[in-house]
Amino acid sequence: MRTYVAKGEEAEALKEGANWFVVDATDQVLGRLATKVARMLIGKDKPSFTPYLDSGDHVVVINADKVRMTGNKVEQKVYYSHSGYPGGLKEVPAKRLRATKSDWMIREAVLGMLPKNKLRARRAKKLRIYRDAAGLARQRWAEAATDGAVRFLSSTAFRLCV
């Protein structure tokens, strides 16, 4: 059997037709959540998946403050960033970062699981993360998204659905 490859008008339709998914991160493990969200951004679960096209969906993650980390990662995991200057390495433990920038932690985990190619930036723009559920109501894009089909995935439904 031959491999499916979208061509012509079908390929153009794949680029435009993106669904919106709202994922509730309450009590979900950080890494497992990130892998599922990354697969949705890539479009890997679709039967019309084509590796060189951005056929993924828009994903909105809410309640990022309530994401869970297993084992001793809260105390032991360290996030690194560098300013570019000599001696500019910054180390921030996950415990301190979780209290202030839990949305950034999820973004880093998801972006680390996306393929490093030219489609990465376009796929990353389709990811929106909010620390609480109220962030969903404050955004202008939510009005545009409600015109189409928006699927709300709670923590239990997300585990079963994806």
Side-chain angles (χ1 to χ4, degrees):
M1 182 170 191
R2 299 193 64 146
T3 304
Y4 169 79
V5 177
K7 297 177 185 170
E9 293 177 9
E10 191 176 10
E12 292 297 322
L14 281 177
K15 287 191 227 173
E16 295 170 5
N19 298 324
W20 288 79
F21 289 94
V22 178
V23 177
D24 187 7
T26 304
D27 293 329
Q28 293 211 29
V29 179
L30 177 63
R32 292 175 188 255
L33 173 75
T35 55
K36 292 175 184 176
V37 168
R39 285 184 70 87
M40 293 168 72
L41 289 172
I42 296 169
K44 196 86 172 191
D45 296 327
K46 292 184 175 184
S48 59
F49 170 70
T50 309
Y52 57 86
L53 293 177
D54 181 22
S55 59
D57 298 318
H58 292 269
V59 180
V60 181
V61 180
I62 57 173
N63 295 324
D65 284 339
K66 299 174 185 169
V67 75
R68 194 165 50 105
M69 296 178 87
T70 59
N72 293 329
K73 290 186 193 80
V74 175
E75 288 84 20
Q76 294 176 352
K77 185 165 177 61
V78 178
Y79 287 91
Y80 298 97
S81 63
H82 201 284
S83 65
Y85 291 99
L89 182 66
K90 297 177 185 175
E91 299 177 352
V92 182
K95 189 173 190 176
R96 188 166 33 139
L97 197 62
R98 188 176 181 186
T100 57
K101 295 182 182 177
S102 57
D103 52 342
W104 185 81
M105 284 175 50
I106 294 176
R107 181 173 300 281
E108 284 296 306
V110 171
L111 293 184
M113 294 180 187
L114 290 178
K116 281 68 172 178
N117 58 21
K118 292 184 178 184
L119 296 174
R120 187 174 196 219
R122 197 178 314 162
R123 289 172 175 159
K125 283 185 180 180
K126 293 182 177 183
L127 175 64
R128 292 162 178 84
I129 302 171
Y130 299 105
R131 295 178 65 192
D132 55 359
L136 185 63
R138 289 192 300 263
Q139 301 304 319
R140 279 183 273 142
W141 63 264
E143 298 170 6
T146 53
D147 296 340
V150 178
R151 291 183 58 188
F152 289 90
L153 301 175
S154 65
S155 55
T156 54
F158 187 61
R159 288 188 194 117
L160 299 174
C161 179
V162 179

